[in-house]
Amino acid sequence: MDSTFESNGFELACHIGRPPGDVQRGPGVIMCHGFPIGQLDAERSGGTFPQLMDRAASTLGCVTMTFNFRGCGTSKGDFSLQAWVDDLRHAISHLMTVSEPDGVILLGTNTGGSIAVCVGADDPRVTALGLLSPRADFDDWAQHPRRLLEHAREIGAIRDRSFPPSVDEWAREFRRFRPVAAARKFAPRPMLVMHGDEDDSVPVSDARQLVNAHGDAELSLLTGAGHRLRHDPRAVAILLGWLDRMRSLQHHPSAATS
């Protein structure tokens, strides 16, 4: 079901997945897309995620959700790291409003995964994290903020030519949010990190940094896989199996040690 919700006054597009039968008790699931690479990518960000969330809803018997961050798809507003963090916080609240889950499991690819860590660290509603090809930091953006700003304008992630009001403040956000420190804070809640060993966009070392900071996270390295794990059937199978296990552990914690 396609719908919208508001984040700081901006209307964001979202998709809600529901199981064909009764909703089973347990956490809901939210999937976050990454930062777009090109204009077409910005227009279609997370374009295949609704199908994945519908599949998860049907397989797991829970309510799922995916949405477009500001500046992507048909969502209003312009990209900034703080804005995307706020968007995910409002997305969690929206899912809690349209259903009554026992918490939320956050999934995210690339930048979306890194933002999920930062949000989850400070939000007790988040029960687990599943990350695909996540970034360990935003330092490369912080080093060349004007280059990123121009790129964001070119691909349409920033549509208002007067945005941001302060480039310096916009750029400081790339240092403010630290996924590695957030992963440490998120522990001991469960975290899965998946990464392709042939990812040419985000090095495998980023995944290892996040896993090591958490201390007890699961790391799944996929041989021969590149950056877009969403399209790797092995990654999807691992993710759905992990989600099923996480939802089961929520109500049968003794299973974790059996």
Side-chain angles (χ1 to χ4, degrees), residues 9 20 40 43 74-75 92 103 106 154 158 171 181 197 199 205 211 224 237 242 247:
L40 191 62
E43 294 170 358
T74 58
S75 290
I92 295 172
L106 295 183
E154 287 175 356
I158 292 179
D197 69 356
D199 189 328
S205 58
V211 167
W242 177 80
R247 282 178 44 81

Side-chain angles (χ1 to χ4, degrees), residues 101 118 123 132 172 190 215:
C118 293
D123 195 329
L132 289 72
R172 273 194 286 271

Side-chain angles (χ1 to χ4, degrees), residues 15-233:
H15 177 85
I16 303 293
R18 295 184 181 274
D22 294 336
V23 175
Q24 305 300 311
R25 286 193 59 195
V29 179
I30 295 178
M31 183 97 195
C32 308
H33 66 75
F35 186 77
I37 297 172
Q39 184 170 0
L40 191 62
D41 201 25
E43 294 170 358
R44 300 179 180 177
S45 288
T48 63
F49 289 173
Q51 294 96 322
L52 178 58
M53 289 297 95
D54 283 345
R55 180 179 173 184
S58 179
T59 302
L60 304 171
C62 66
V63 178
T64 62
M65 174 180 171
T66 188
F67 68 100
N68 284 129
F69 286 105
R70 264 177 258 188
C72 294
T74 58
S75 290
K76 307 301 182 183
D78 300 288
F79 163 76
S80 78
L81 212 55
Q82 180 66 63
W84 279 27
V85 166
D86 291 345
D87 290 348
L88 181 50
R89 288 170 176 159
H90 284 99
I92 295 172
S93 296
H94 182 64
L95 183 64
M96 303 291 280
T97 299
V98 300
S99 63
E100 296 182 351
D102 299 329
V104 175
I105 298 173
L106 295 183
L107 310 176
T109 62
N110 189 243
T111 303
S114 305
I115 286 177
V117 178
C118 293
V119 170
D122 294 318
D123 195 329
R125 297 176 297 180
V126 180
T127 63
L129 292 169
L131 315 177
L132 289 72
S133 312
R135 307 166 55 107
D137 57 55
F138 303 101
D139 290 352
D140 55 333
W141 287 354
Q143 290 170 4
H144 305 285
R146 292 187 181 276
R147 183 186 304 171
L148 177 66
L149 178 61
E150 188 58 34
H151 173 67
R153 285 173 174 161
E154 287 175 356
I155 65 174
I158 292 179
R159 301 152 184 165
D160 184 347
R161 298 299 298 182
S162 65
F163 184 90
S166 168
V167 176
D168 289 342
E169 177 56 32
W170 182 82
R172 273 194 286 271
E173 296 171 2
F174 302 135
R175 302 280 191 194
R176 184 185 310 153
F177 294 104
R178 312 300 297 179
V180 170
R184 187 175 299 112
K185 187 176 181 181
F186 186 75
R189 285 171 285 173
M191 186 170 87
L192 167 69
V193 180
M194 286 190 284
H195 216 97
D197 69 356
E198 294 186 6
D199 189 328
D200 58 2
S201 295
V202 179
V204 175
S205 58
D206 282 39
R208 296 192 186 279
Q209 287 182 61
L210 291 164
V211 167
N212 291 338
H214 182 278
D216 194 35
E218 300 177 44
L219 175 61
S220 181
L221 294 179
L222 278 70
T223 304
H227 184 60
R228 293 180 180 268
L229 293 183
R230 159 67 186 96
H231 302 292
D232 190 311

